[in-house]
Amino acid sequence: MALSVPKAPGVSQMLKDGARMYSGLEEAVYRNITACKEFAQTMRSAYGPNGMNKMIINHIEKQFVTSDAGTIMRELDVEHPAAKLMVMASQMQDAEVGDGTNFVVIFAGALLEKAEELLRLGITTAEIAEGYEKALEKALEILPKLVCHEVKDFRDVEQVKEVMKSAIMSKQYGQEDFLTDLVAKACVSILPDKGTFNVDNIRVCKILGSGLSKSEVVHGMVFKRFVEGDVTYAEKTKIAIFSCPVDIIQTETKGTVLIKSADELMNFSSGEESLLENQIKAIADTGAKVIVSGGKVGDMALHFLNKYNMMAVRLNSKFDLRRLARAVNATVLPRLTTPSQEELGYCDKVCIEELGDTTVVAFRNEGKDSRIATIVIRGATDNFLDDIERAIDDGVNNFKCLSRDGRYVPGAGAVEIELATQISAYADTLPGLEQYAVRRFAAALEAFPKALAENTGVNATELVNQLYLAHAEGKGPNVGFNIDAEKAETVDVTTTKIYDLFQSKFWGLKYAVGAATTILKVDQIIMAKRAGGPKPRQNAGSDDES
């Protein structure tokens, strides 16, 4: 009879063998805080225009060199459950605003670091979480009063460029003027009279070679492909778009044709040919000079397309087909039929262009009704092009938020120090233990000017002292860190035009505090053993063998 080994009493007796459980301050709370602090520290060195790049090689051996927090976190595949909560908060910020992902992680990490000090003083996690939530309420109440700039007309390229520059500068310091000009022109050109701005309508086409200064905005779409037939140019043309192959129609079921003589074979072949020719002729008669196909273009079809002087373009991606249909205002047809005039699209110019050694097909719509713009970026390496694309993505998302809410707060650490000053004063008015947490919340906000200073190689403590002094002396809430100075120096950011999106700070504070308080409220980690999976490796031989 097998010996029954009793399990230890408590939660572990309810779970499978191999399940792990951590509880209490030492095992759960401090362990979570340590993981989150280390993760935030990693991201902190990538903050700001002088932030360091990270080199990441992901699970499929693809290499990334970037300082973009969103990309770093997406490719890192974080496993620790508490750090994962910070990543999820950051992803929510990315979905809501499209920028400020690093803000959320750094601030959540700073809040947890300050919470650890309070826990060691004997304050409970519930009191800390309550204090943080009170401080957040106060911060969100103060934030609208710190708005220092507002864009009234977001169709004015100059006004858009002025506020967008700081978002692009944080990714590409030194290239911001040129990139801001590209993004602002592209966004304003496709902004609809009614409805909201769609981020997906700004496309990026990356082409190796030349330098960044050769990048341009194309009103329409650009594809790295070659045309299928001999015709390579069409102007002021109608376009027919099909999601099916342009070829002899295959029957849905298998059929057998019994042919008894050579004449019957000739007639059968010519019947198929004439049917295809009639279809292509009917499409040509509608006025369409360009056919775009989602599948292959058959040799026979190509012959007739050349005969009727039509241009054929094949696109492999169904998403590109839909975008092109939106760009030229056409309907994607599922079968090779004659399109009606409403289903045809229109384009000013469809042509082949050579950029370096890459051939592209450009669909250009120069008129006001252009619905999609493509930014063609040039550069020497794939990594550089990817990083430029991320900077453009931040700029486009910035414009999306600007078209909803044009308010901006001072950047360069100015808004954080002003919030810290006012929240510290608010903490003095509170009677309970939460005042300690509110004061630590204010101290956590110092992480941003400190990170900017450290990444620039300036004494962080000296800079924070100077900023507090400037804000206390009444030089205004717009005094921030002068990133171009040799040593710790402050500047009025309204003169240097360094603005941060109000929406980015608003949601960033909310998500960071939400993540930090959630992590603090965890007092037990229970890791149940997964069913199945690889079995633990057994050592060969007995334990006493060397």
Side-chain angles (χ1 to χ4, degrees), residues 152-179:
K152 294 280 191 282
D153 179 16
F154 42 82
R155 291 178 191 280
D156 181 355
V157 176
E158 289 307 313
Q159 281 192 45
V160 171
K161 276 163 66 175
E162 195 175 73
V163 293
M164 198 187 278
K165 190 187 285 186
S166 57
I168 290 174
M169 192 193 282
S170 67
K171 295 284 179 296
Q172 288 295 324
Y173 191 36
Q175 318 271 18
E176 67 273 2
D177 289 324
F178 179 70
L179 284 173

PDB file of all heavy atoms in Angstrom, residues 152-179:
ATOM      1  N   LYS A 152      -5.690  76.815 -31.947  1.00  0.00           N
ATOM      2  CA  LYS A 152      -7.089  77.062 -32.325  1.00  0.00           C
ATOM      3  C   LYS A 152      -7.386  76.500 -33.717  1.00  0.00           C
ATOM      4  O   LYS A 152      -8.411  75.867 -33.947  1.00  0.00           O
ATOM      5  CB  LYS A 152      -7.363  78.568 -32.312  1.00  0.00           C
ATOM      6  CG  LYS A 152      -7.277  79.207 -30.930  1.00  0.00           C
ATOM      7  CD  LYS A 152      -8.557  78.981 -30.136  1.00  0.00           C
ATOM      8  CE  LYS A 152      -8.618  79.816 -28.881  1.00  0.00           C
ATOM      9  NZ  LYS A 152      -7.820  79.314 -27.788  1.00  0.00           N
ATOM     10  N   ASP A 153      -6.469  76.756 -34.669  1.00  0.00           N
ATOM     11  CA  ASP A 153      -6.704  76.317 -36.053  1.00  0.00           C
ATOM     12  C   ASP A 153      -5.712  75.211 -36.389  1.00  0.00           C
ATOM     13  O   ASP A 153      -4.544  75.474 -36.668  1.00  0.00           O
ATOM     14  CB  ASP A 153      -6.518  77.509 -37.005  1.00  0.00           C
ATOM     15  CG  ASP A 153      -6.715  77.111 -38.464  1.00  0.00           C
ATOM     16  OD1 ASP A 153      -7.285  76.024 -38.704  1.00  0.00           O
ATOM     17  OD2 ASP A 153      -6.299  77.881 -39.361  1.00  0.00           O
ATOM     18  N   PHE A 154      -6.171  73.959 -36.341  1.00  0.00           N
ATOM     19  CA  PHE A 154      -5.231  72.878 -36.628  1.00  0.00           C
ATOM     20  C   PHE A 154      -5.118  72.566 -38.120  1.00  0.00           C
ATOM     21  O   PHE A 154      -4.581  71.552 -38.509  1.00  0.00           O
ATOM     22  CB  PHE A 154      -5.533  71.609 -35.796  1.00  0.00           C
ATOM     23  CG  PHE A 154      -6.989  71.250 -35.682  1.00  0.00           C
ATOM     24  CD1 PHE A 154      -7.632  70.562 -36.682  1.00  0.00           C
ATOM     25  CD2 PHE A 154      -7.696  71.598 -34.547  1.00  0.00           C
ATOM     26  CE1 PHE A 154      -8.961  70.228 -36.566  1.00  0.00           C
ATOM     27  CE2 PHE A 154      -9.028  71.263 -34.422  1.00  0.00           C
ATOM     28  CZ  PHE A 154      -9.676  70.578 -35.437  1.00  0.00           C
ATOM     29  N   ARG A 155      -5.634  73.464 -38.979  1.00  0.00           N
ATOM     30  CA  ARG A 155      -5.373  73.357 -40.422  1.00  0.00           C
ATOM     31  C   ARG A 155      -4.223  74.277 -40.834  1.00  0.00           C
ATOM     32  O   ARG A 155      -3.813  74.296 -41.994  1.00  0.00           O
ATOM     33  CB  ARG A 155      -6.625  73.723 -41.233  1.00  0.00           C
ATOM     34  CG  ARG A 155      -7.723  72.702 -41.091  1.00  0.00           C
ATOM     35  CD  ARG A 155      -8.980  73.073 -41.840  1.00  0.00           C
ATOM     36  NE  ARG A 155     -10.053  72.187 -41.449  1.00  0.00           N
ATOM     37  CZ  ARG A 155     -10.232  70.961 -41.910  1.00  0.00           C
ATOM     38  NH1 ARG A 155      -9.392  70.476 -42.800  1.00  0.00           N
ATOM     39  NH2 ARG A 155     -11.235  70.210 -41.517  1.00  0.00           N
ATOM     40  N   ASP A 156      -3.729  75.056 -39.884  1.00  0.00           N
ATOM     41  CA  ASP A 156      -2.605  75.958 -40.142  1.00  0.00           C
ATOM     42  C   ASP A 156      -1.303  75.196 -39.876  1.00  0.00           C
ATOM     43  O   ASP A 156      -0.988  74.859 -38.733  1.00  0.00           O
ATOM     44  CB  ASP A 156      -2.728  77.177 -39.216  1.00  0.00           C
ATOM     45  CG  ASP A 156      -1.594  78.184 -39.437  1.00  0.00           C
ATOM     46  OD1 ASP A 156      -0.688  77.876 -40.230  1.00  0.00           O
ATOM     47  OD2 ASP A 156      -1.610  79.256 -38.801  1.00  0.00           O
ATOM     48  N   VAL A 157      -0.546  74.931 -40.938  1.00  0.00           N
ATOM     49  CA  VAL A 157       0.672  74.110 -40.844  1.00  0.00           C
ATOM     50  C   VAL A 157       1.676  74.709 -39.858  1.00  0.00           C
ATOM     51  O   VAL A 157       2.310  73.986 -39.080  1.00  0.00           O
ATOM     52  CB  VAL A 157       1.324  73.920 -42.237  1.00  0.00           C
ATOM     53  CG1 VAL A 157       2.628  73.157 -42.135  1.00  0.00           C
ATOM     54  CG2 VAL A 157       0.372  73.171 -43.161  1.00  0.00           C
ATOM     55  N   GLU A 158       1.808  76.029 -39.851  1.00  0.00           N
ATOM     56  CA  GLU A 158       2.806  76.677 -38.971  1.00  0.00           C
ATOM     57  C   GLU A 158       2.479  76.459 -37.498  1.00  0.00           C
ATOM     58  O   GLU A 158       3.362  76.175 -36.691  1.00  0.00           O
ATOM     59  CB  GLU A 158       2.894  78.181 -39.281  1.00  0.00           C
ATOM     60  CG  GLU A 158       3.558  78.497 -40.613  1.00  0.00           C
ATOM     61  CD  GLU A 158       4.923  77.841 -40.782  1.00  0.00           C
ATOM     62  OE1 GLU A 158       5.736  77.914 -39.844  1.00  0.00           O
ATOM     63  OE2 GLU A 158       5.163  77.233 -41.846  1.00  0.00           O
ATOM     64  N   GLN A 159       1.185  76.589 -37.151  1.00  0.00           N
ATOM     65  CA  GLN A 159       0.778  76.373 -35.750  1.00  0.00           C
ATOM     66  C   GLN A 159       1.005  74.919 -35.328  1.00  0.00           C
ATOM     67  O   GLN A 159       1.429  74.640 -34.219  1.00  0.00           O
ATOM     68  CB  GLN A 159      -0.722  76.703 -35.585  1.00  0.00           C
ATOM     69  CG  GLN A 159      -1.010  78.180 -35.486  1.00  0.00           C
ATOM     70  CD  GLN A 159      -2.447  78.433 -35.043  1.00  0.00           C
ATOM     71  OE1 GLN A 159      -2.943  77.811 -34.120  1.00  0.00           O
ATOM     72  NE2 GLN A 159      -3.109  79.364 -35.721  1.00  0.00           N
ATOM     73  N   VAL A 160       0.715  74.000 -36.250  1.00  0.00           N
ATOM     74  CA  VAL A 160       0.877  72.561 -35.959  1.00  0.00           C
ATOM     75  C   VAL A 160       2.355  72.238 -35.773  1.00  0.00           C
ATOM     76  O   VAL A 160       2.736  71.519 -34.843  1.00  0.00           O
ATOM     77  CB  VAL A 160       0.253  71.700 -37.086  1.00  0.00           C
ATOM     78  CG1 VAL A 160       0.602  70.224 -36.902  1.00  0.00           C
ATOM     79  CG2 VAL A 160      -1.255  71.882 -37.114  1.00  0.00           C
ATOM     80  N   LYS A 161       3.211  72.788 -36.647  1.00  0.00           N
ATOM     81  CA  LYS A 161       4.654  72.520 -36.563  1.00  0.00           C
ATOM     82  C   LYS A 161       5.226  72.992 -35.232  1.00  0.00           C
ATOM     83  O   LYS A 161       6.066  72.334 -34.637  1.00  0.00           O
ATOM     84  CB  LYS A 161       5.383  73.242 -37.719  1.00  0.00           C
ATOM     85  CG  LYS A 161       5.380  72.456 -39.016  1.00  0.00           C
ATOM     86  CD  LYS A 161       5.714  73.314 -40.205  1.00  0.00           C
ATOM     87  CE  LYS A 161       7.112  73.846 -40.204  1.00  0.00           C
ATOM     88  NZ  LYS A 161       7.401  74.575 -41.458  1.00  0.00           N
ATOM     89  N   GLU A 162       4.738  74.132 -34.769  1.00  0.00           N
ATOM     90  CA  GLU A 162       5.242  74.735 -33.537  1.00  0.00           C
ATOM     91  C   GLU A 162       5.065  73.795 -32.333  1.00  0.00           C
ATOM     92  O   GLU A 162       5.965  73.653 -31.509  1.00  0.00           O
ATOM     93  CB  GLU A 162       4.472  76.045 -33.297  1.00  0.00           C
ATOM     94  CG  GLU A 162       5.096  76.949 -32.274  1.00  0.00           C
ATOM     95  CD  GLU A 162       4.335  78.277 -32.194  1.00  0.00           C
ATOM     96  OE1 GLU A 162       3.203  78.295 -31.646  1.00  0.00           O
ATOM     97  OE2 GLU A 162       4.872  79.273 -32.683  1.00  0.00           O
ATOM     98  N   VAL A 163       3.890  73.130 -32.253  1.00  0.00           N
ATOM     99  CA  VAL A 163       3.613  72.288 -31.076  1.00  0.00           C
ATOM    100  C   VAL A 163       4.056  70.840 -31.257  1.00  0.00           C
ATOM    101  O   VAL A 163       4.267  70.121 -30.285  1.00  0.00           O
ATOM    102  CB  VAL A 163       2.103  72.318 -30.716  1.00  0.00           C
ATOM    103  CG1 VAL A 163       1.702  73.691 -30.241  1.00  0.00           C
ATOM    104  CG2 VAL A 163       1.225  71.858 -31.873  1.00  0.00           C
ATOM    105  N   MET A 164       4.202  70.420 -32.511  1.00  0.00           N
ATOM    106  CA  MET A 164       4.547  69.014 -32.777  1.00  0.00           C
ATOM    107  C   MET A 164       6.049  68.755 -32.618  1.00  0.00           C
ATOM    108  O   MET A 164       6.471  67.616 -32.409  1.00  0.00           O
ATOM    109  CB  MET A 164       4.113  68.652 -34.204  1.00  0.00           C
ATOM    110  CG  MET A 164       4.012  67.175 -34.470  1.00  0.00           C
ATOM    111  SD  MET A 164       3.688  66.873 -36.198  1.00  0.00           S
ATOM    112  CE  MET A 164       1.946  67.097 -36.270  1.00  0.00           C
ATOM    113  N   LYS A 165       6.823  69.831 -32.696  1.00  0.00           N
ATOM    114  CA  LYS A 165       8.286  69.684 -32.733  1.00  0.00           C
ATOM    115  C   LYS A 165       8.835  68.919 -31.527  1.00  0.00           C
ATOM    116  O   LYS A 165       9.689  68.049 -31.661  1.00  0.00           O
ATOM    117  CB  LYS A 165       8.943  71.064 -32.833  1.00  0.00           C
ATOM    118  CG  LYS A 165      10.428  70.983 -33.123  1.00  0.00           C
ATOM    119  CD  LYS A 165      11.104  72.333 -33.064  1.00  0.00           C
ATOM    120  CE  LYS A 165      10.795  73.181 -34.268  1.00  0.00           C
ATOM    121  NZ  LYS A 165      11.573  74.429 -34.269  1.00  0.00           N
ATOM    122  N   SER A 166       8.328  69.225 -30.309  1.00  0.00           N
ATOM    123  CA  SER A 166       8.906  68.596 -29.111  1.00  0.00           C
ATOM    124  C   SER A 166       8.655  67.094 -29.076  1.00  0.00           C
ATOM    125  O   SER A 166       9.475  66.330 -28.563  1.00  0.00           O
ATOM    126  CB  SER A 166       8.389  69.267 -27.843  1.00  0.00           C
ATOM    127  OG  SER A 166       6.983  69.211 -27.808  1.00  0.00           O
ATOM    128  N   ALA A 167       7.508  66.637 -29.632  1.00  0.00           N
ATOM    129  CA  ALA A 167       7.214  65.190 -29.644  1.00  0.00           C
ATOM    130  C   ALA A 167       8.198  64.453 -30.542  1.00  0.00           C
ATOM    131  O   ALA A 167       8.684  63.367 -30.202  1.00  0.00           O
ATOM    132  CB  ALA A 167       5.792  64.947 -30.127  1.00  0.00           C
ATOM    133  N   ILE A 168       8.527  65.052 -31.698  1.00  0.00           N
ATOM    134  CA  ILE A 168       9.450  64.418 -32.644  1.00  0.00           C
ATOM    135  C   ILE A 168      10.895  64.575 -32.150  1.00  0.00           C
ATOM    136  O   ILE A 168      11.719  63.688 -32.317  1.00  0.00           O
ATOM    137  CB  ILE A 168       9.246  65.000 -34.061  1.00  0.00           C
ATOM    138  CG1 ILE A 168       7.891  64.518 -34.591  1.00  0.00           C
ATOM    139  CG2 ILE A 168      10.374  64.603 -35.011  1.00  0.00           C
ATOM    140  CD1 ILE A 168       7.460  65.093 -35.899  1.00  0.00           C
ATOM    141  N   MET A 169      11.149  65.708 -31.470  1.00  0.00           N
ATOM    142  CA  MET A 169      12.506  65.970 -30.948  1.00  0.00           C
ATOM    143  C   MET A 169      12.929  64.904 -29.928  1.00  0.00           C
ATOM    144  O   MET A 169      14.095  64.538 -29.849  1.00  0.00           O
ATOM    145  CB  MET A 169      12.526  67.352 -30.277  1.00  0.00           C
ATOM    146  CG  MET A 169      13.901  67.876 -29.960  1.00  0.00           C
ATOM    147  SD  MET A 169      13.828  69.290 -28.848  1.00  0.00           S
ATOM    148  CE  MET A 169      13.363  70.581 -29.951  1.00  0.00           C
ATOM    149  N   SER A 170      11.953  64.399 -29.152  1.00  0.00           N
ATOM    150  CA  SER A 170      12.307  63.412 -28.124  1.00  0.00           C
ATOM    151  C   SER A 170      12.762  62.093 -28.739  1.00  0.00           C
ATOM    152  O   SER A 170      13.388  61.281 -28.074  1.00  0.00           O
ATOM    153  CB  SER A 170      11.117  63.175 -27.190  1.00  0.00           C
ATOM    154  OG  SER A 170      10.073  62.545 -27.887  1.00  0.00           O
ATOM    155  N   LYS A 171      12.437  61.857 -30.018  1.00  0.00           N
ATOM    156  CA  LYS A 171      12.889  60.632 -30.696  1.00  0.00           C
ATOM    157  C   LYS A 171      14.082  60.899 -31.624  1.00  0.00           C
ATOM    158  O   LYS A 171      14.971  60.087 -31.744  1.00  0.00           O
ATOM    159  CB  LYS A 171      11.748  60.031 -31.535  1.00  0.00           C
ATOM    160  CG  LYS A 171      10.568  59.543 -30.738  1.00  0.00           C
ATOM    161  CD  LYS A 171      10.861  58.218 -30.053  1.00  0.00           C
ATOM    162  CE  LYS A 171       9.687  57.759 -29.248  1.00  0.00           C
ATOM    163  NZ  LYS A 171       9.328  58.623 -28.127  1.00  0.00           N
ATOM    164  N   GLN A 172      14.043  62.025 -32.329  1.00  0.00           N
ATOM    165  CA  GLN A 172      15.079  62.342 -33.319  1.00  0.00           C
ATOM    166  C   GLN A 172      15.616  63.747 -33.067  1.00  0.00           C
ATOM    167  O   GLN A 172      15.233  64.698 -33.738  1.00  0.00           O
ATOM    168  CB  GLN A 172      14.503  62.221 -34.744  1.00  0.00           C
ATOM    169  CG  GLN A 172      14.241  60.819 -35.204  1.00  0.00           C
ATOM    170  CD  GLN A 172      15.513  60.004 -35.345  1.00  0.00           C
ATOM    171  OE1 GLN A 172      16.552  60.520 -35.732  1.00  0.00           O
ATOM    172  NE2 GLN A 172      15.439  58.723 -35.035  1.00  0.00           N
ATOM    173  N   TYR A 173      16.483  63.874 -32.083  1.00  0.00           N
ATOM    174  CA  TYR A 173      17.033  65.191 -31.728  1.00  0.00           C
ATOM    175  C   TYR A 173      18.006  65.632 -32.815  1.00  0.00           C
ATOM    176  O   TYR A 173      18.934  64.907 -33.148  1.00  0.00           O
ATOM    177  CB  TYR A 173      17.730  65.078 -30.369  1.00  0.00           C
ATOM    178  CG  TYR A 173      18.124  66.395 -29.756  1.00  0.00           C
ATOM    179  CD1 TYR A 173      17.316  67.514 -29.897  1.00  0.00           C
ATOM    180  CD2 TYR A 173      19.295  66.523 -29.019  1.00  0.00           C
ATOM    181  CE1 TYR A 173      17.658  68.719 -29.314  1.00  0.00           C
ATOM    182  CE2 TYR A 173      19.650  67.726 -28.427  1.00  0.00           C
ATOM    183  CZ  TYR A 173      18.830  68.829 -28.587  1.00  0.00           C
ATOM    184  OH  TYR A 173      19.170  70.023 -28.021  1.00  0.00           O
ATOM    185  N   GLY A 174      17.763  66.799 -33.378  1.00  0.00           N
ATOM    186  CA  GLY A 174      18.627  67.305 -34.449  1.00  0.00           C
ATOM    187  C   GLY A 174      17.947  67.227 -35.810  1.00  0.00           C
ATOM    188  O   GLY A 174      18.250  68.001 -36.707  1.00  0.00           O
ATOM    189  N   GLN A 175      17.014  66.288 -35.985  1.00  0.00           N
ATOM    190  CA  GLN A 175      16.309  66.148 -37.271  1.00  0.00           C
ATOM    191  C   GLN A 175      14.883  66.683 -37.173  1.00  0.00           C
ATOM    192  O   GLN A 175      14.096  66.532 -38.089  1.00  0.00           O
ATOM    193  CB  GLN A 175      16.206  64.658 -37.667  1.00  0.00           C
ATOM    194  CG  GLN A 175      17.430  63.837 -37.427  1.00  0.00           C
ATOM    195  CD  GLN A 175      18.354  63.858 -38.619  1.00  0.00           C
ATOM    196  OE1 GLN A 175      18.235  64.732 -39.461  1.00  0.00           O
ATOM    197  NE2 GLN A 175      19.263  62.920 -38.695  1.00  0.00           N
ATOM    198  N   GLU A 176      14.545  67.283 -35.991  1.00  0.00           N
ATOM    199  CA  GLU A 176      13.128  67.559 -35.717  1.00  0.00           C
ATOM    200  C   GLU A 176      12.494  68.569 -36.676  1.00  0.00           C
ATOM    201  O   GLU A 176      11.318  68.432 -37.038  1.00  0.00           O
ATOM    202  CB  GLU A 176      12.937  68.010 -34.261  1.00  0.00           C
ATOM    203  CG  GLU A 176      13.528  69.348 -33.886  1.00  0.00           C
ATOM    204  CD  GLU A 176      14.989  69.243 -33.457  1.00  0.00           C
ATOM    205  OE1 GLU A 176      15.551  68.143 -33.484  1.00  0.00           O
ATOM    206  OE2 GLU A 176      15.552  70.288 -33.113  1.00  0.00           O
ATOM    207  N   ASP A 177      13.253  69.574 -37.141  1.00  0.00           N
ATOM    208  CA  ASP A 177      12.660  70.604 -38.012  1.00  0.00           C
ATOM    209  C   ASP A 177      12.170  70.003 -39.316  1.00  0.00           C
ATOM    210  O   ASP A 177      11.040  70.252 -39.751  1.00  0.00           O
ATOM    211  CB  ASP A 177      13.683  71.718 -38.307  1.00  0.00           C
ATOM    212  CG  ASP A 177      13.949  72.566 -37.073  1.00  0.00           C
ATOM    213  OD1 ASP A 177      12.988  72.789 -36.311  1.00  0.00           O
ATOM    214  OD2 ASP A 177      15.100  72.976 -36.857  1.00  0.00           O
ATOM    215  N   PHE A 178      13.026  69.190 -39.939  1.00  0.00           N
ATOM    216  CA  PHE A 178      12.671  68.591 -41.227  1.00  0.00           C
ATOM    217  C   PHE A 178      11.506  67.602 -41.084  1.00  0.00           C
ATOM    218  O   PHE A 178      10.551  67.619 -41.853  1.00  0.00           O
ATOM    219  CB  PHE A 178      13.905  67.887 -41.822  1.00  0.00           C
ATOM    220  CG  PHE A 178      13.645  67.226 -43.143  1.00  0.00           C
ATOM    221  CD1 PHE A 178      13.413  67.980 -44.278  1.00  0.00           C
ATOM    222  CD2 PHE A 178      13.599  65.847 -43.249  1.00  0.00           C
ATOM    223  CE1 PHE A 178      13.154  67.378 -45.495  1.00  0.00           C
ATOM    224  CE2 PHE A 178      13.342  65.228 -44.461  1.00  0.00           C
ATOM    225  CZ  PHE A 178      13.117  66.001 -45.592  1.00  0.00           C
ATOM    226  N   LEU A 179      11.591  66.745 -40.056  1.00  0.00           N
ATOM    227  CA  LEU A 179      10.546  65.733 -39.858  1.00  0.00           C
ATOM    228  C   LEU A 179       9.210  66.361 -39.482  1.00  0.00           C
ATOM    229  O   LEU A 179       8.150  65.927 -39.944  1.00  0.00           O
ATOM    230  CB  LEU A 179      10.966  64.739 -38.767  1.00  0.00           C
ATOM    231  CG  LEU A 179      11.999  63.695 -39.169  1.00  0.00           C
ATOM    232  CD1 LEU A 179      12.457  62.902 -37.965  1.00  0.00           C
ATOM    233  CD2 LEU A 179      11.455  62.750 -40.224  1.00  0.00           C
TER     234      LEU A 179
END
